[in-house]
Amino acid sequence: MHSTQTPSASSGSIAVVGAGIVGLAHAYLAVRRGLRVTLVDEDSGPRGASVRNFGHCCITGQTGAFASLAEAGREHWLAAASAAGFWARESGAYVAAASAQELRVLAEAAEAKGTDRIRLVDGEEITRALGSRATSAVGGAHLPLDLRVDPRTAAPRLAAWLHAHPAVTMRMDTRALSVTDGGVHTTRGFLAADHTFVCTGHHLRGLLPDLAADAGIRECALQMALVDAPAHFTTDAAILTGTSLLRYDAFATMPAAQDLREHMEETAPALMAAGANVMVTRRPDGSLLVGDSHAYAPSTAPFLDEDTTDLLLESARSVLGAQPLRVRQRWQGVYASSETRPLVLAPVGAHATAVTVATGVGMTLAFGLAAHTLEALHTGSPAAAAPAG
Ligand SMILES: Cc1cc2nc3c(=O)[nH]c(=O)nc-3n(C[C@H](O)[C@H](O)[C@H](O)COP(=O)(O)OP(=O)(O)OC[C@H]3O[C@@H](n4cnc5c(N)ncnc54)[C@H](O)[C@@H]3O)c2cc1C
């Protein structure tokens, strides 16, 4: 079948290389469509960017095609959480704004997106959400469409659900060596499939070096910490800050963003130099994920910079209106980045597709993207580009 046809419901087989959230979403939605799936990962389970992030589906922050993918993925995230039994909350996100410049960006974004999607809130509400009058925030916005999941358990539980499914064959500790029209050559032999999805994140260059070079794929390294939550902080909503407004297009493309950038360069040069996106999310056990910085290189150095961690912690502490935060863990996350192609959705021969999110929103896009590529495969155009926005 693989030479002339694409898989059809209840008869086809697909291989998925990579058990991060992008590969898992493809495997999950393929099973839901009645396909047989072989899932291959060189590690023993999800260990990459998909377990190292904030667990924030930043749906409202997207524009164009990414907004369509993010919104389309929302229902699938919730259905997958319910099926696989992982923690997910429709708690949305708060942007805690500390300056008039931030408030202006939010007001413009609310006008552009609609006040039902970006609901401006006053100082009282943001204080209530954060649980502290000592916060540096003076107002902000609530983004009700955004979702929260727990990054430490969402991908592993989805992988466990797939492992138990009769239509799925898991090949962990197995490295894909090359992809052909009939399947995947791996360190444990050849795995036949009608169609293969290559979802290897920033490792794309290991398997498909020419495609990775063409797409300008490099690595982005981020510093993160897990801290004890101050007793007053109880919201499951993600907390975004002024630096976040410079990173997500729904805010960063607003006319007032330029003023905000200049204001931040002047008042917070160290945060800007670190490429910070100061954010806080709460895990189900009450601990807080705090980050992050951004450093770009073809291949990033593994070392964590203590000054950067201190900077991020102090900035988060000030927004939370808390005492100094006690760190339990620190780690580095790495994701794929490209200045020219934030999404690589490319044919590899006639019967394989490479799917790499090359910017920091893979959790947000994974399910919408998988729904899109599987639908394109079903309709016979597997190499289709991302949907129009
Ligand atoms: C610190 C941090 C914070 C972030 N915060 C957010 C956030 O809040 N919201 C959001 O939307 N996104 C966020 N992101 C981005 C998001 O985490 C990533 O975009 C997403 O996890 C990428 O998923 P993936 O499946 O493509 O890659 P990965 O999770 O890296 O998975 C790739 C998998 O492929 C496997 N693999 C690679 N090569 C091979 C091979 N040859 N053979 C077999 N297996 C192979 C690897 O072992 C790995 O398991 C964040 C990222 C980081 C690092």
Side-chain angles (χ1 to χ4, degrees):
M1 170 176 176
H2 59 255
S3 59
T4 56
Q5 291 172 272
T6 53
S8 59
S10 76
S11 65
S13 68
I14 65 161
V16 177
V17 182
I21 198 61
V22 174
L24 291 168
H26 276 79
Y28 169 79
L29 289 181
V31 164
R32 288 299 194 212
R33 279 175 168 263
L35 300 169
R36 283 175 289 111
V37 174
T38 303
L39 182 56
V40 184
D41 199 292
E42 64 187 6
D43 216 323
S44 52
R47 297 277 185 280
S50 301
V51 297
R52 300 180 191 206
N53 59 59
F54 287 105
H56 170 221
C57 298
C58 184
I59 295 165
T60 314
Q62 310 309 314
T63 57
F66 276 20
S68 308
L69 291 171
E71 289 188 23
R74 193 176 187 279
E75 62 173 297
H76 297 304
W77 258 118
L78 293 171
S82 163
F86 61 80
W87 186 95
R89 291 287 180 274
E90 297 184 76
S91 49
Y94 278 100
V95 184
S99 70
Q101 288 82 352
E102 292 164 45
L103 291 172
R104 268 202 296 281
V105 171
L106 287 172
E108 288 182 358
E111 206 178 313
K113 274 238 165 192
T115 47
D116 53 333
R117 286 165 186 243
I118 301 180
R119 186 174 61 81
L120 300 178
V121 303
D122 60 13
E124 269 308 308
E125 179 166 348
I126 205 78
T127 299
R128 255 198 322 278
L130 296 168
S132 171
R133 294 214 159 268
T135 174
S136 54
V138 294
H142 184 238
L143 319 177
L145 273 187
D146 286 15
L147 291 180
R148 281 292 329 287
V149 296
D150 175 30
R152 304 271 176 112
T153 50
R157 291 214 178 133
L158 189 51
W161 183 88
L162 288 163
H163 187 62
H165 198 285
V168 178
T169 304
M170 300 286 268
R171 289 281 180 267
M172 296 296 102
D173 300 312
T174 304
R175 173 173 287 184
L177 300 171
S178 66
V179 176
T180 73
D181 272 354
V184 187
H185 290 282
T186 79
T187 43
R188 290 179 200 266
F190 185 71
L191 302 172
D194 297 322
H195 196 90
T196 299
F197 289 104
V198 177
C199 307
T200 51
H202 68 280
H203 301 284
L204 184 67
R205 74 171 187 277
L207 196 53
L208 299 167
D210 293 338
L211 174 60
D214 279 355
I217 296 292
R218 56 188 181 156
E219 293 184 356
C220 176
L222 302 85
Q223 291 194 197
M224 297 284 286
L226 184 77
V227 306
D228 287 336
H232 62 255
F233 186 86
T234 55
T235 182
D236 288 327
I239 306 300
L240 280 62
T241 67
T243 47
S244 315
L245 299 179
L246 297 175
R247 297 202 75 90
Y248 298 116
D249 277 353
F251 309 110
T253 56
M254 292 298 106
Q258 184 52 31
D259 257 6
L260 174 58
R261 187 172 296 283
E262 284 163 20
H263 172 73
M264 301 288 282
E265 295 282 5
E266 210 175 296
T267 57
L271 281 178
M272 295 298 281
N277 171 9
V278 178
M279 277 182 58
V280 176
T281 57
R282 188 170 180 265
R283 297 197 57 227
D285 70 359
S287 58
L288 301 186
L289 297 159
V290 175
D292 57 18
S293 53
H294 295 78
Y296 300 90
S299 175
T300 54
F303 312 110
L304 294 179
D305 182 67
E306 200 61 11
D307 286 346
T308 301
T309 302
D310 288 348
L311 190 66
L312 295 169
L313 288 173
E314 174 49 27
S315 186
R317 185 207 63 72
S318 153
V319 172
L320 296 178
Q323 298 296 310
L325 300 166
R326 195 185 80 83
V327 176
R328 288 196 210 169
Q329 296 174 345
R330 300 166 203 268
W331 65 97
Q332 183 188 59
V334 178
Y335 63 66
S337 170
S338 166
E339 280 178 324
T340 52
R341 282 171 74 177
L343 175 60
V344 179
L345 192 52
V348 181
H351 295 280
T353 310
V355 190
T356 289
V357 179
T359 183
V361 291
M363 296 289 276
T364 306
L365 301 189
F367 281 92
L369 194 49
H372 171 73
T373 57
L374 285 162
E375 181 58 23
L377 182 62
H378 183 68
T379 56
S381 52

